[in-house]
Amino acid sequence: VAFQGEPGAFSEEAALLLLPKCAPMGFPTLDRVVAAVKNGDVEAACLPIENSIYGSIGRSFELLYEADLRIAASCVLTVRQCLVAANTSTLDEVRIVASHPVALEQCRGLFERHPHLSPLIAHDTAGAVRAMKDGALKADACIASSFAAQRYEAHVILENVQDDLNNYTRFFLAAEPAVVPTLQGSAIRDRATLAFELQNAPGALWEALGAFAKMKLNLTNIVCRPIRSQPWAYRFFVELKARPEQLDAAVLDLKQYGYAKILGAYSTSL
Amino acid sequence: VAFQGEPGAFSEEAALLLLPKCAPMGFPTLDRVVAAVKNGDVEAACLPIENSIYGSIGRSFELLYEADLRIAASCVLTVRQCLVAANTSTLDEVRIVASHPVALEQCRGLFERHPHLSPLIAHDTAGAVRAMKDGALKADACIASSFAAQRYEAHVILENVQDDLNNYTRFFLAAEPAVVPTLQGSAIRDRATLAFELQNAPGALWEALGAFAKMKLNLTNIVCRPIRSQPWAYRFFVELKARPEQLDAAVLDLKQYGYAKILGAYSTSL
């Protein structure tokens, strides 16, 4: 299973949550993760799709759509940042704390409460832990997950150092359509994601969403993305609470208004 | 005017496009940019809100909402990446090319066409040019704008090296409500952005969007954001083609379904 990031990244933890027996393989970008599925280097991709603080990760939806992959499952991972040191030093001994800018930003309170700490920008949370252990990064500690600390045999000095305790990230497990049934087994598919494109006209989105409202299907997310080849034209991704048989009727209705495609029907049990 | 990034960033270029006589001031994060307005350190903020490839920048909308700022104007900037060297070297002499991961990703074709180039991750496009000129970054060239090259007296070796020529970023100029009229002058306000919150129920978004469809107001963007304190509950940001007087009627209608607020009525002439 391909994931974006270095070994020890949250996405690797998510891949192991979705498929406990899988062998996760890290790639530098989301584009490379999806390319690895298309090339047959991996069987599935684990893609972050939404963070409760930062919002939807549009690029993941776009890649699923372009590569014509299907969503096999979804899971939610709680983001718990820790202060991780290379050795058994104490908080008082730490000066420079390295991490990805987003992780540093998530822990602003830590730096305010302990003014002797200075942030240092690194390009990855888990990668910072590895570079610190290697001696390649001149930091006394990093902000990273306990999963990353474990992976690189580093020491957790403080747990739960992020400001917002309601910090969750959702992930999709996606694969080629033929592979999806094997990954899903007998899981109950209670959720679905659709893509559709609309003409930019008054009421167009309202008319299209009527297809779901009529059937009393609850929308749980909507993502609006520019269509790359047509500036300021949009593709929508919606997630619904729907069983597979309800889905087909809704898509048929939706197709009156423009192009529509099912990206997957899956379980949200994880 | 506060912007996010180092001097020479695209956001600084946008600030000067929005207010040609302003003095732009750089901050490390979008949160700090908005805090600078609230603290009175600057009069306005220049915030990126959408990129034609990467989609909406949800954090900018969230910050505008939380800080209760008003949108005074918007502009669109074409992203034109260049290969920029510290001195007058030629393409053949360049080996290591540094930039922000997103900029490197935008220029994948360049690395494929010239396999002797190796990408090096930096945390900012303009910052990489500065660090290269200083000798702090061991790179032969950077991917950055011609604006950044000019700012640091670096040399443009190749222009327009990004894969996608339809790469635009939109920006909002935002300020405290009392300051907005001074910034707007006599500009015709033909566009508006609203925020509204909805109960997570079947048809809720469809019903709310009916308020705009009834008045034949064209939606030009919709952004769905998680509400931080309530996991998986959502706040919507919509942009409309509407004159200020149409707006008040639509908001009144919208308020039947939940909380709604106008984030600004502004011109899109730039």
Side-chain angles (χ1 to χ4, degrees):
Chain A
V1 176
F3 67 92
Q4 189 265 316
E6 307 242 3
F10 281 110
S11 291
E12 185 185 34
E13 200 175 343
L16 289 165
L17 185 61
L18 285 159
L19 280 181
K21 291 176 184 171
C22 78
M25 192 184 286
F27 290 85
T29 64
L30 294 173
D31 289 63
R32 304 282 172 103
V33 165
V34 169
V37 179
K38 297 309 283 182
N39 296 341
D41 295 338
V42 297
E43 285 167 287
C46 176
L47 296 169
I49 54 133
E50 184 178 26
N51 175 271
S52 58
I53 296 175
Y54 287 87
S56 294
I57 298 155
R59 190 75 193 134
S60 292
F61 286 95
E62 206 58 43
L63 285 166
L64 282 177
Y65 178 89
E66 286 172 5
D68 200 31
L69 298 184
R70 292 293 174 282
I71 304 157
S74 81
C75 77
V76 175
L77 197 74
T78 304
V79 175
R80 293 269 175 269
Q81 302 286 13
C82 300
L83 187 69
V84 174
N87 47 51
T88 52
S89 51
T90 64
L91 178 60
D92 288 344
E93 294 166 306
V94 173
R95 288 290 171 277
I96 296 170
V97 178
S99 199
H100 186 276
V102 170
L104 292 171
E105 195 59 37
Q106 285 171 352
C107 302
R108 278 175 70 171
L110 174 77
F111 291 94
E112 282 163 17
R113 288 190 302 277
H114 305 290
H116 71 286
L117 301 179
S118 299
L120 176 68
I121 289 173
H123 66 269
D124 186 80
T125 52
V129 178
R130 196 201 50 201
M132 174 181 71
K133 284 288 289 189
D134 285 357
L137 181 70
K138 286 197 172 61
D140 306 310
C142 296
I143 306 260
S145 67
S146 58
F147 181 78
Q150 250 180 347
R151 160 82 50 167
Y152 295 111
E153 297 178 355
H155 300 269
V156 172
I157 299 182
L158 287 174
E159 283 189 316
N160 270 332
V161 293
Q162 75 281 5
D163 301 334
D164 195 323
L165 298 177
N166 287 314
N167 188 350
Y168 307 100
T169 302
R170 276 191 72 199
F171 293 87
F172 279 159
L173 182 71
E176 294 285 4
V179 177
V180 168
T182 322
L183 295 172
Q184 289 187 321
S186 59
I188 293 162
R189 294 175 290 149
D190 56 350
R191 203 64 71 95
T193 291
L194 305 180
F196 58 91
E197 294 174 7
L198 292 178
Q199 303 245 0
N200 188 7
L205 179 60
W206 175 72
E207 280 182 352
L209 294 185
F212 311 124
K214 257 184 272 177
M215 297 184 65
K216 306 245 181 264
L217 296 178
N218 197 355
L219 255 71
T220 54
N221 196 10
I222 180 164
V223 180
C224 172
R225 293 278 303 163
I227 299 179
R228 284 178 77 134
S229 50
Q230 305 164 43
W232 317 129
Y234 293 91
R235 183 175 293 134
F236 295 90
F237 297 95
V238 295
E239 188 176 48
L240 300 162
K241 286 188 185 165
R243 294 184 308 276
E245 63 275 17
Q246 297 175 299
L247 210 57
D248 294 332
V251 169
L252 205 65
D253 197 354
L254 198 58
K255 280 185 174 165
Q256 294 176 60
Y257 309 106
Y259 181 81
K261 171 170 145 177
I262 300 174
L263 294 189
Y266 45 90
S267 160
T268 54
S269 58
L270 280 175
Chain B
V1 175
F3 68 93
Q4 187 263 317
E6 307 243 0
F10 281 110
S11 292
E12 186 185 32
E13 201 175 343
L16 289 165
L17 184 63
L18 285 159
L19 280 180
K21 293 177 181 167
C22 79
M25 192 184 284
F27 290 86
T29 64
L30 294 173
D31 290 62
R32 302 283 171 101
V33 165
V34 170
V37 180
K38 297 310 284 184
N39 296 341
D41 294 337
V42 296
E43 285 166 286
C46 176
L47 297 170
I49 55 133
E50 183 178 27
N51 175 272
S52 58
I53 298 176
Y54 287 88
S56 294
I57 299 155
R59 188 75 193 135
S60 291
F61 287 95
E62 205 58 44
L63 285 166
L64 282 177
Y65 178 90
E66 286 172 4
D68 200 30
L69 298 185
R70 291 294 174 281
I71 303 158
S74 80
C75 76
V76 175
L77 198 72
T78 305
V79 176
R80 293 271 175 266
Q81 301 287 12
C82 301
L83 187 69
V84 174
N87 47 52
T88 52
S89 51
T90 64
L91 177 60
D92 287 345
E93 295 167 306
V94 173
R95 288 291 171 278
I96 296 170
V97 178
S99 199
H100 186 275
V102 170
L104 292 171
E105 195 60 35
Q106 285 171 352
C107 303
R108 278 175 71 171
L110 175 76
F111 292 94
E112 282 161 18
R113 287 190 302 277
H114 304 288
H116 70 286
L117 301 179
S118 300
L120 175 70
I121 287 173
H123 67 270
D124 185 81
T125 53
V129 179
R130 196 201 49 201
M132 173 180 71
K133 285 288 287 187
D134 286 356
L137 181 69
K138 285 196 172 59
D140 306 310
C142 296
I143 305 253
S145 67
S146 58
F147 181 78
Q150 251 181 345
R151 161 83 49 170
Y152 294 112
E153 297 178 355
H155 300 270
V156 173
I157 299 183
L158 287 175
E159 283 189 315
N160 270 332
V161 293
Q162 75 282 3
D163 301 335
D164 195 323
L165 298 177
N166 286 315
N167 188 350
Y168 306 100
T169 303
R170 277 190 71 198
F171 292 86
F172 279 160
L173 181 71
E176 294 286 4
V179 177
V180 169
T182 321
L183 295 173
Q184 289 188 320
S186 58
I188 292 162
R189 293 175 288 149
D190 56 350
R191 203 63 72 94
T193 291
L194 305 180
F196 58 91
E197 294 175 6
L198 293 177
Q199 304 244 359
N200 188 7
L205 179 60
W206 175 71
E207 280 183 352
L209 294 185
F212 310 124
K214 254 183 276 177
M215 297 183 66
K216 306 248 182 260
L217 296 178
N218 197 356
L219 254 72
T220 55
N221 195 11
I222 179 163
V223 180
C224 173
R225 293 278 303 163
I227 298 178
R228 285 179 78 132
S229 50
Q230 306 165 45
W232 317 130
Y234 294 90
R235 182 176 295 133
F236 294 90
F237 297 94
V238 296
E239 189 177 48
L240 299 163
K241 286 186 184 166
R243 294 185 308 277
E245 64 275 18
Q246 296 175 300
L247 209 59
D248 294 333
V251 170
L252 204 66
D253 197 354
L254 197 60
K255 280 186 174 166
Q256 293 176 60
Y257 308 106
Y259 181 80
K261 170 169 144 176
I262 300 174
L263 293 189
Y266 45 91
S267 160
T268 53
S269 57
L270 278 175

